[in-house]
Amino acid sequence: GGNNANKPDDAAKSGGNTATAEGPKKRVALVTPEKIGVNQFFTQMVEGLEKAGSEFNLETKVIESTDPTQVEQNLRAAVAEKYDLIITAAFSAADALKKVAAENPNQSFAIIDTVVDAPNVRSIEFREHEAAYLLGAAAGLSTKTGKVGAVVAMDVPLLSKYTSGFEQGLKSVKPDATLLINYVGSFTDPAKAKELALLQHSKGADFIAGFSAVGDSGVFEAAKEKGFYTSGQDTDRTVEDPEHVVLSQLKETDTVTYETAKDFAQGNFTFGSVSYGLKENGVGLTFVTADSPSPLSPFIGQENVDKLKKIRDDILSGAIVVKNPLAP
Amino acid sequence: MKRINWTAYAQSLAAPLLAVGVGLLVGAIAIWAVGGSVGTTYAEMWKGAFGSFYFTASTLTRATPIILTALGVSLAFRAGFFNLGAEGQMVFGALAAALAALYVPGPGPVKMLAAVAAGMLAGGLWSLLAGWLDTRFRMNLLITTLLLNYIAVYTAGYLVAFPLKEKGGTGGAQTAMLDNSAWLPKLFAGTTLHAGFIVAIAAAVLLALFLTFTTKGYEIRMLGSNPLFAAYGGVKRGQLMLVSMLLSGALAGLAGTFEVLGTQYRYIDNMLTSPGYAWSGIMATLLAGSNPIGSVLAAILLAALQTGGMGVERNTEVPLEISSVIQSSLILFVSARITFSFIKRRKARAANGNAA
Amino acid sequence: MGTLLDWSLLSATLWKVAPLLLAALAGALCARVGIFNVALEGMMLIGAFTAILGNDLFGNVALAVLFACFCVGLVSLLFAYLTIGLQANAIVVGMAINFLANGLTAFLLYAIFGVKGQYRDSTMSGLPQWHIPVIQDIPVVGELLSGHTPLVYLAFVLVAVLQFVLFRTVIGFRLLAVGENPAAAKSLGLKIRGYQYGAVVFGGVLCGLAGAQLSLGQVTLFTENMTAGRGFIALVATMLGQSNPLGVMASSLLFGFLDTVSTRLQGSSIPTHFTMMFPYVMTIVVMLFFKDKTYLRQSGRLDGK
Amino acid sequence: MLLQMEGITKRYGSLIANDRVDFSLQEGEVHALVGENGAGKSTLMRILYGEEQPSEGRIIVGGRERVFATPSDAIAAGIGMVHQHFMLFPSFTVAENIVIGREPKAGVKFDRKAAAEHVKTLSEKFGMPVDPWAKVADCPVGVQQRIEILKVLNQGAKIIILDEPTGALTPLEVEWLLKAIKRLAKQGISFILISHKLNEVLGSADRITVLRDGKVIGSVKASDTDAAALSRMMVGRELAKFERKPVVPGEAILTVDNVTVLGDRGTKPLLDRVSLTVRAGEIVGIAGVSGNGQSELLQVVSGLRRVHSGKVTLGGKDVTGLSAGEFRRAGLAHIPEDRYLWGSAKEESVADNAIMGHLASLSKGGILRKRLIREKVARWIDAFRVKTGSLETKAKHLSGGNMQKLIVAREMAHGTPFVIAAEPTRGVDIGAMETIHEALLKRRDEGGAILLVSSELSEILKLSDRILVLYEGRVAGELSAGDATEEKISFLMAGGSGNETH
Ligand SMILES: Nc1ncnc2c1ncn2[C@@H]1O[C@H](COP(=O)(O)OP(=O)(O)OP(=O)(O)O)[C@@H](O)[C@H]1O
Ligand SMILES: Nc1ncnc2c1ncn2[C@@H]1O[C@H](COP(=O)(O)OP(=O)(O)OP(=O)(O)O)[C@@H](O)[C@H]1O
Ligand SMILES: [Mg+2]
Ligand SMILES: [Mg+2]
């Protein structure tokens, strides 16, 4: 589709590379279980893949599925097209991958953000709860009112990694803080997300974290209108409005995809399960684990950032253990 | 004996074909507008839907739940009840089937039968509830079935996100996977097509026979056509409505059941809502004027448009969104049966010309 | 419970009801000429998109709103041509339009703005919020009635206007006649198709307003599928309100209110899924008390008109 | 000459509905158009009113040739039409229905008060009293007819087409209507009147044109002809004569005992302690102005409406509160009052319409026996000379009279001991009427019990052994066939108390 890496200019670039490379180009396909767009996660994967493609002379291809039921068909089509590596993502692709991987034992696969236990699959997981913990701690350290909000897309187990981590972090620094959680009921409803943020603000929350996918933009608007503070997800969203969007919880799906493709290109690819947390720099928090082009908001303050860095170190050292709500 | 009226026959065929033609033309304009190659795009669309045995099988797999919901809905439509609740009925059917297959003890076939029974029953009862609200409280079926969809989807969402969630899974809101023995057999190894497709086709034939050749089918048709006439002739509206809503929901439930037993092997939150099977089913029925056999063809057409769209996505530069533009313009024009009204108008104009 | 019902609740109800109400009025108008318009959702979505697009093109919210109305008007003209002109089944066409709207907006988002998922320009200004002089200073009333976007006020003004037009004017009277008995209207020489086209296209304009309020009033951005089912709720509001502007307003407000209550219930021990289905359950309960004399009962018929 | 239609031909495919028809009308003339069902009367009028386009021929109004592409064109030329099935808006008021299309305005507003006043003056001018503020749905059929005529007059019609205007009216309403027509004709309005009732036609028309198979058979002055001559022209043959043999009634088949049915809004009862008995071998006629409980009584004795108190037995079985199906199993056949509302499914085939209620005998193990169905239905159709293309033709394509014949055929085929015959000959031509009357009398002679409800007093008088009159939901009186006269019945129908009160 439209996200294909082989746009004419890319092709020209990689064509230039081919001259220097030896042998045929390795081919990598990315099959997403849903349309790219709403979930930032997939957009970043595409970016990571394309970057790896141009740096390591890979032929890359993105195949979007309209819905998860199409994944199996797309995986099989990718196998038939003889891609050297097929990457997919999310739990909704897991069942299909299990099937297709078992049927094609000589084909290499990778799946991001969930685990598929098969000899020819590399699984990459994230420990988002660690980053959420940091975000929660940041909220706890910075709040003036002692009330903190979270606007969450849906009440589903996957997102409890975020809410639970957030709450653990918040309570660790401010045990008496009040956490208001509201669910939008959709990944694509900024109007409702904004309404919920306004509601939480009217109840006294001065920091409201957005966990509502596209809805986060609604939370940001509410913050701008009412002058409270908020945070975004996945990428550094502080750049959009550093005054109000004061933090962003990072999830480096682009890096992870990039590295997967890179390993493959360089022959370092291994199967099995890998987990990315704070330690591996797979997840993080702006200002604390990664620099940001935005100015640091006085609401957070350098002092708190230093404290947060300390907390991060404690997590890394194991002094603080963040509970994963999904762990058995 | 009977002389076949070839012109009429050709006309009845020409109508949908021309409509498809106009739909494709509109799609072609859209493809051309984004700089894609029209020929390649349509070729890929065809290949994606029917280009190989595997893809044809995938198309039919996707058509299976659409056929079954379409049949369910057409049964209700024929009886005169506008059942827009296929989605909720399907969801509950699938969930109940998954639970039965997971928790009913015994060998595979027993689990499978229990799942089919539970799925049909759950879908049927949910539909029956709407029917009952209509007969008992005269609540508008159109509204209640729409509202009951939301309730079913949220309830099922809650159940698989919490109490029934797979233990120690990857975190998705889904039940555990069914035991292999309860899986519906595949029709052809290496494809996704499962035995549910055969059942769906059989159900369509049975429904068509039922409606034309049985007394109950007759009563249902008359009830749908003129409820007062049916009442006058001694047909029991209330009873027949409940029965047809029950059957209608049971078919939608069966559609959900087969998705669980034949393709996903578990119930996953949104597995039926995000592909929009129920709405495709309703659309298929309406396109076919509630004719069971026609619904099968319309369902396959809709499924082919969707799988064909994936073919376009995989093999061309045309963005995914364009394929939904093509699909919807096809549906629009097929529904309008362009030629038909076009011919009618020409006739009317000719008649006017005569008069003047 | 104290925090459950407060004035901000009513105020929130008021502004978030606006898109719903505008779309439901569109639905009511179509129903009045005998067309069951299930395309409200899609038309609202196109309205939301074209409002943002218009704002981007003209840099002027008023022009943006007009642009949205114009574009959705065109789409509804297509709907009208297929259902009225070509006698296609209104429900099929409506559903196909919903589907088309989803694909088209996502496609244009990518083609025009080069993004997927959402488009947001933080320098773009949305609809202004009108603070009404004297009223805004009255304690409770001010919070309730002041500070909304012009389209929120317009939505409620339109209720009165439509109520007046339908039941007090000649054109409204004829429109009702067309809906009540098309054969009779035709035998009188009334141009039924004209009224039907008019109602559907004007309904389209209302959906354009609904979309604009959503993408320029409620928030200032567009995301794929941002209507998130509001068009279907509007459809229910249309039916529940018996296609009467005042009735439609009442049922829309009821929905808005129930939705607000459901949000406030989220903090309680009730699982979120159940608080979210609360408005739907309550609507069914409410229907128990409003016996169905429905004017639109016939729209439950197969042909969708 | 005010209007001339010359050489009008209308073809529907191979069918010729009108074949070179010439027709004319003078100012102030009442010109009747008669003919069998399907002769082409309605078609000719639809052409005149712009609802259909003629295949050939021309229309001249006031000396100028005109083409009517739509009804609006015809209305503009001063032609108005009152359809057999009223074209009214039931939920609107009388005034609204009359002024629609020419509403008085106050700015953009529809001035309903002015409309009501205008309607009042109009109705006084033409001597047709109506209540402008009443809702049309609440008006009796006769008043609805009046509203239709006023509407047409308000449109400035000089020529008014009435297609079977008396079909659904009571005798009093008919009498009133015919008088009104004559009065309006004196005021210069011209009428084209379609009717199957020759006495009405002879009594009110100046000229009569007979159509058969789409062709004009003849055009005569009303004063130069009589019913016998007319019916010969129409049917093309002599009508069979029949006689009513004396039969001694047997046991009671249907008894209605003290039945009360309350109104929906808890208003006064629709049926008030009604009792009646129909015995084997007799026809009991029910007369009454419509709206006095006939419909409710019919629904009660056919299981379509619940009673609030009282008892109904059929064939010795207590059927009170049972469903229509149970009534039918207990031995009921029912020719319904309204053939389209109750009696048929327009979108379904003739065969499907014909087998309703016969399923038990036409199926085996729940499966319809298609061949048997075809044979049986073909036989019924032959017996009643129902004109239809095939058994698969949709019922809506049958002319109204033919639909009625199909229903009568279906119900008589049941051979049940009890038959309800409600308006059994409404809209059918005189030939068909004879066939239907014969069938009813034959059943009676064979020991059937028949409840006849008709707004046609002549029909009641001709067929009934006993006559009951309903007034305001009560049995106002009972007359035996010997005593009954139109005057006596009319007196009871108007609420006068009878000499043999119940
Ligand atoms: N639209 C049409 N298409 C085909 N045939 C038609 C159409 N309209 C009328 N006919 C046929 O034309 C013939 C004349 O019909 P018409 O309604 O004029 O009869 P009529 O004299 O009014 O009969 P009736 O006494 O039953 O009212 C009938 O055979 C009828 O079936
Ligand atoms: N498409 C059609 N094909 C054949 N006949 C038709 C068609 N449409 C209408 N007709 C015929 O045209 C006539 C129109 O019916 P209309 O409503 O005028 O009743 P009518 O002829 O006055 O009936 P009645 O017999 O009760 O007087 C009927 O004879 C009907 O059978
Ligand atoms: Mg006629
Ligand atoms: Mg007639």
Side-chain angles (χ1 to χ4, degrees), chain B residues 106-126:
Chain B
V110 172
K111 283 175 180 291
M112 207 188 285
L113 284 179
V116 168
M120 293 183 74
L121 194 67
L125 288 178
W126 194 239

Short mmCIF file of all heavy atoms in Angstrom, two decimals, chain B residues 106-126:
data_model
loop_
_atom_site.label_atom_id
_atom_site.label_comp_id
_atom_site.label_asym_id
_atom_site.label_seq_id
_atom_site.Cartn_x
_atom_site.Cartn_y
_atom_site.Cartn_z
N GLY B 106 -15.65 -33.84 27.55
CA GLY B 106 -15.97 -34.86 26.57
C GLY B 106 -15.08 -34.74 25.35
O GLY B 106 -14.24 -33.84 25.25
N PRO B 107 -15.27 -35.66 24.41
CA PRO B 107 -14.43 -35.66 23.21
C PRO B 107 -14.79 -34.50 22.29
O PRO B 107 -15.82 -33.85 22.45
CB PRO B 107 -14.77 -37.00 22.57
CG PRO B 107 -16.12 -37.35 23.07
CD PRO B 107 -16.24 -36.75 24.43
N GLY B 108 -13.92 -34.28 21.31
CA GLY B 108 -14.05 -33.16 20.39
C GLY B 108 -15.43 -32.97 19.81
O GLY B 108 -15.99 -31.87 19.91
N PRO B 109 -15.99 -34.00 19.18
CA PRO B 109 -17.29 -33.80 18.54
C PRO B 109 -18.36 -33.34 19.52
O PRO B 109 -19.22 -32.53 19.16
CB PRO B 109 -17.63 -35.19 17.99
CG PRO B 109 -16.31 -35.86 17.84
CD PRO B 109 -15.43 -35.32 18.91
N VAL B 110 -18.27 -33.84 20.75
CA VAL B 110 -19.25 -33.42 21.76
C VAL B 110 -19.08 -31.92 22.03
O VAL B 110 -20.04 -31.15 22.04
CB VAL B 110 -19.07 -34.21 23.07
CG1 VAL B 110 -19.94 -33.63 24.17
CG2 VAL B 110 -19.40 -35.67 22.83
N LYS B 111 -17.84 -31.50 22.21
CA LYS B 111 -17.56 -30.08 22.44
C LYS B 111 -18.09 -29.26 21.27
O LYS B 111 -18.71 -28.20 21.44
CB LYS B 111 -16.05 -29.84 22.56
CG LYS B 111 -15.44 -30.26 23.87
CD LYS B 111 -13.93 -30.08 23.79
CE LYS B 111 -13.21 -30.46 25.07
NZ LYS B 111 -13.47 -29.54 26.18
N MET B 112 -17.82 -29.77 20.08
CA MET B 112 -18.20 -29.01 18.89
C MET B 112 -19.71 -28.84 18.83
O MET B 112 -20.22 -27.74 18.61
CB MET B 112 -17.70 -29.75 17.65
CG MET B 112 -17.44 -28.87 16.47
SD MET B 112 -17.08 -29.85 15.03
CE MET B 112 -15.45 -30.40 15.35
N LEU B 113 -20.41 -29.96 19.05
CA LEU B 113 -21.86 -29.88 19.00
C LEU B 113 -22.39 -28.97 20.10
O LEU B 113 -23.30 -28.17 19.89
CB LEU B 113 -22.48 -31.27 19.13
CG LEU B 113 -22.36 -32.10 17.84
CD1 LEU B 113 -22.98 -33.48 18.05
CD2 LEU B 113 -23.05 -31.37 16.68
N ALA B 114 -21.80 -29.08 21.27
CA ALA B 114 -22.23 -28.24 22.38
C ALA B 114 -22.01 -26.78 22.02
O ALA B 114 -22.85 -25.91 22.30
CB ALA B 114 -21.45 -28.60 23.64
N ALA B 115 -20.87 -26.52 21.37
CA ALA B 115 -20.57 -25.13 21.00
C ALA B 115 -21.58 -24.61 19.99
O ALA B 115 -22.09 -23.48 20.10
CB ALA B 115 -19.16 -25.04 20.42
N VAL B 116 -21.90 -25.45 18.98
CA VAL B 116 -22.87 -25.01 17.97
C VAL B 116 -24.22 -24.75 18.63
O VAL B 116 -24.87 -23.71 18.39
CB VAL B 116 -22.99 -26.08 16.86
CG1 VAL B 116 -24.18 -25.78 15.97
CG2 VAL B 116 -21.71 -26.12 16.05
N ALA B 117 -24.61 -25.66 19.51
CA ALA B 117 -25.90 -25.50 20.18
C ALA B 117 -25.89 -24.23 21.02
O ALA B 117 -26.82 -23.41 20.96
CB ALA B 117 -26.20 -26.71 21.04
N ALA B 118 -24.82 -24.04 21.79
CA ALA B 118 -24.76 -22.88 22.67
C ALA B 118 -24.73 -21.59 21.86
O ALA B 118 -25.42 -20.62 22.19
CB ALA B 118 -23.51 -22.97 23.56
N GLY B 119 -23.97 -21.59 20.78
CA GLY B 119 -23.86 -20.39 19.96
C GLY B 119 -25.19 -20.02 19.34
O GLY B 119 -25.60 -18.86 19.36
N MET B 120 -25.88 -21.01 18.80
CA MET B 120 -27.16 -20.71 18.16
C MET B 120 -28.17 -20.27 19.21
O MET B 120 -28.96 -19.35 18.98
CB MET B 120 -27.68 -21.93 17.40
CG MET B 120 -26.80 -22.26 16.20
SD MET B 120 -27.42 -23.64 15.23
CE MET B 120 -28.82 -22.91 14.40
N LEU B 121 -28.11 -20.92 20.35
CA LEU B 121 -29.06 -20.59 21.41
C LEU B 121 -28.82 -19.17 21.90
O LEU B 121 -29.76 -18.37 22.05
CB LEU B 121 -28.91 -21.58 22.56
CG LEU B 121 -30.06 -21.55 23.56
CD1 LEU B 121 -31.34 -22.06 22.91
CD2 LEU B 121 -29.72 -22.39 24.79
N ALA B 122 -27.55 -18.82 22.14
CA ALA B 122 -27.26 -17.49 22.68
C ALA B 122 -27.68 -16.42 21.68
O ALA B 122 -28.34 -15.44 22.05
CB ALA B 122 -25.77 -17.39 23.00
N GLY B 123 -27.30 -16.61 20.41
CA GLY B 123 -27.69 -15.63 19.40
C GLY B 123 -29.21 -15.54 19.30
O GLY B 123 -29.79 -14.46 19.23
N GLY B 124 -29.83 -16.71 19.31
CA GLY B 124 -31.29 -16.76 19.17
C GLY B 124 -31.99 -16.08 20.33
O GLY B 124 -32.92 -15.29 20.13
N LEU B 125 -31.51 -16.34 21.53
CA LEU B 125 -32.18 -15.75 22.70
C LEU B 125 -32.02 -14.24 22.72
O LEU B 125 -32.94 -13.51 23.07
CB LEU B 125 -31.63 -16.36 23.99
CG LEU B 125 -32.05 -17.81 24.24
CD1 LEU B 125 -31.42 -18.33 25.53
CD2 LEU B 125 -33.57 -17.93 24.31
N TRP B 126 -30.84 -13.78 22.32
CA TRP B 126 -30.61 -12.33 22.33
C TRP B 126 -31.55 -11.65 21.34
O TRP B 126 -32.10 -10.58 21.58
CB TRP B 126 -29.15 -12.03 22.01
CG TRP B 126 -28.74 -10.62 22.31
CD1 TRP B 126 -28.24 -9.71 21.43
CD2 TRP B 126 -28.77 -9.98 23.58
NE1 TRP B 126 -27.98 -8.53 22.08
CE2 TRP B 126 -28.29 -8.67 23.40
CE3 TRP B 126 -29.17 -10.38 24.87
CZ2 TRP B 126 -28.19 -7.75 24.45
CZ3 TRP B 126 -29.08 -9.47 25.91
CH2 TRP B 126 -28.58 -8.18 25.70
#
